[in-house]
Amino acid sequence: SHGRKKVFHIGDRASFSKTISESDVYAFAGITGDFNGLHMNAEFARHTRYGKRIVHGNIPASFISTAMGMSLPGPGAIFIDQSTKFLKPVYYNDTITANIQLIEARTKSEFYVCTIKGECRTPHGEVVIVSVCHEMISMDEVEIVQDDED
């Protein structure tokens, strides 16, 4: 084996923060091919309801995945799905924090199927994204303690 298994409890939390720079947005556009003027063209964006360029919503939404893959439950986790609501725009140079919480863990053969609630916030505490995700992780890699529901 490779050392002791990590142990998690229902209700455990993790987070990931990043300031989204202009170069992050340009790199993302290059990777995905999404060069929508709302994200890329300051003059175009100025004439929209947002008044300036906004970040592709899937950049901060992916920070929820980062918190899952790096921390809770961490390496070995396999993303199954993510249901996401984009509540408010995110602008260039906003620092966004993704907070996640382990809500439920079901067992399926030798895996846990975890339900994780996520949200992304600005430094002012404004919620810009909410998300519910499911992921799988092998029982060989982690143990999830189910608290008694008496």
Side-chain angles (χ1 to χ4, degrees):
S1 86
H2 43 80
R4 301 244 320 261
K5 285 199 264 190
K6 285 201 287 187
V7 177
F8 295 100
H9 296 81
I10 303 302
D12 280 359
R13 298 173 181 274
S15 64
F16 174 79
S17 294
K18 186 181 192 315
T19 301
I20 303 169
S21 69
E22 183 174 45
S23 64
D24 292 329
V25 175
Y26 274 70
F28 186 86
I31 291 163
T32 60
D34 181 354
F35 291 93
N36 183 325
L38 201 49
H39 307 308
M40 313 305 293
N41 183 322
E43 186 55 28
F44 175 85
R46 201 162 64 78
H47 298 289
T48 68
R49 56 185 291 211
Y50 302 110
K52 54 184 177 176
R53 293 177 297 180
I54 63 171
V55 168
H56 303 76
N58 278 319
I59 297 177
S62 72
F63 296 173
I64 291 166
S65 170
T66 301
M68 289 161 52
M70 299 299 285
S71 303
L72 178 67
I78 301 160
F79 215 142
I80 299 170
D81 62 39
Q82 181 173 16
S83 169
T84 305
K85 290 192 174 84
F86 301 92
L87 305 177
K88 295 202 162 116
V90 173
Y91 298 98
Y92 280 46
N93 300 311
D94 280 357
T95 300
I96 300 297
T97 300
N99 300 300
I100 63 170
Q101 185 172 26
L102 177 60
I103 299 300
E104 185 188 28
R106 292 183 295 108
T107 54
K108 186 176 182 180
S109 66
E110 72 276 20
F111 290 90
Y112 292 108
V113 177
C114 301
T115 303
I116 290 182
K117 264 190 171 160
E119 57 168 35
C120 294
R121 288 179 183 264
T122 68
H124 318 294
E126 263 195 316
V127 178
V128 293
I129 292 170
V130 292
S131 195
V132 177
C133 312
H134 295 96
E135 65 181 352
M136 247 167 44
I137 190 156
S138 168
M139 291 177 188
D140 291 341
E141 300 183 63
V142 302
E143 182 185 343
I144 297 176
V145 178
Q146 304 271 7
D147 298 317
D148 293 334
E149 295 182 14
D150 295 327

